[in-house]
Amino acid sequence: MGANTAETALPDTLRKLTNHLTASYAGLLTPAVVREVVQDCYQPLSNARIAGYVPILVEHNSRARLRQLVRRPDATAPLREESDGIRGHSVTSALRRLRIALTRSAPAPRP
């Protein structure tokens, strides 16, 4: 089987959502960050019994998280595609810190 990437793991509707959000946040966040946020919002809902509501919930949660990222001062600094040269942060470590921050700020799932 092929590589397990965010693109192959998401259904078509979520891939379209990712493309739409990437275009909406083009000047503010990198496409990799938008994909990561959508995937993180989709993951807890991936095994939902009623899949019809999943894209709506993922869109709502993704937009909320992306708005939080954009509101932060210099939101793009840790999210650039290349190292910033000053601190020597790579994209991988920046995304790891972002994932941790988003996980901590996300509300706890209901039982």
Side-chain angles (χ1 to χ4, degrees), residues 72-93:
R72 293 183 182 169
D74 197 13
T76 59
L79 309 175
R80 292 188 184 113
E81 291 288 343
E82 302 172 4
S83 171
D84 60 10
I86 298 169
R87 297 181 186 173
H89 293 134
S90 68
V91 173
T92 305
S93 63

Side-chain angles (χ1 to χ4, degrees), residues 97-111:
R97 288 191 313 278
L98 174 64
R99 181 181 286 161
I100 291 168
L102 290 174
T103 303
R104 289 181 183 161
S105 67
R110 294 185 178 190

Side-chain angles (χ1 to χ4, degrees), residues 22-86:
T22 299
S24 296
Y25 288 91
L28 302 170
L29 299 170
T30 64
V33 171
V34 175
R35 277 192 302 271
E36 186 82 17
V37 168
V38 172
Q39 184 179 12
D40 286 347
C41 290
Y42 171 70
Q43 191 168 0
L45 302 170
S46 63
N47 293 326
R49 288 185 183 178
I50 303 174
Y53 295 109
V54 170
I56 295 167
L57 295 171
V58 171
E59 180 177 5
H60 177 74
N61 292 338
S62 296
R63 285 185 185 278
R65 288 187 183 182
L66 291 170
R67 277 192 299 268
Q68 286 177 347
L69 287 175
V70 172
R71 285 185 189 143
R72 293 183 182 169
D74 197 13
T76 59
L79 309 175
R80 292 188 184 113
E81 291 288 343
E82 302 172 4
S83 171
D84 60 10
I86 298 169

